[in-house]
Amino acid sequence: MRKCAPLVLQMLVENAIKHNVISNEQPLHIRIYSDQNKIVVENSIQKKNVLPEDSKGIGLENIRKRYSFLTSQKVEVIDDGKLFVVKLPGL
């Protein structure tokens, strides 16, 4: 079983909800799984046209800083236009 920094999974799920359209016609798909000693959180991208003013990447930066205290491994963030993927080093 992989471990991650406290509240990081919650932050990533909240981030996905905040930035994407969610409806019956456009459900938001979020997957959380383990892959090669990393915890992976990925979601479909269906960006909202209007985002809250406080959307400045602060959440992801906080996650990166948290992990820098816990491990030398880096948090990976991948945005290919269809999927937004965050790979967290296992602790």
Side-chain angles (χ1 to χ4, degrees):
M1 182 166 135
R2 308 286 176 243
K3 295 181 182 180
C4 67
L7 299 175
V8 169
L9 293 179
Q10 178 181 337
M11 290 171 68
L12 290 170
V13 170
E14 287 175 352
N15 199 45
I17 292 167
K18 174 181 172 183
H19 290 279
N20 290 284
V21 172
I22 305 170
S23 68
N24 286 335
E25 296 77 29
Q26 289 182 286
L28 179 64
H29 297 279
I30 301 173
R31 251 181 97 203
I32 301 171
Y33 59 95
S34 176
D35 183 37
Q36 297 180 11
N37 200 33
K38 295 185 181 199
I39 297 172
V40 182
V41 180
E42 68 180 36
N43 62 270
S44 53
I45 296 176
Q46 38 209 50
K47 292 184 181 181
K48 290 181 180 176
N49 290 330
V50 179
L51 289 176
E53 290 182 20
D54 63 345
S55 178
K56 295 178 175 58
I58 295 170
L60 284 173
E61 187 57 32
N62 284 340
I63 291 170
R64 285 185 172 113
K65 286 179 182 177
R66 247 181 233 197
Y67 269 87
S68 72
F69 290 114
L70 300 171
T71 180
S72 61
Q73 296 180 56
K74 301 290 183 195
V75 173
E76 295 177 59
V77 178
I78 304 161
D79 180 348
D80 70 4
K82 293 182 182 184
L83 285 178
F84 187 80
V85 182
V86 178
K87 296 182 179 184
L88 305 167
L91 301 177

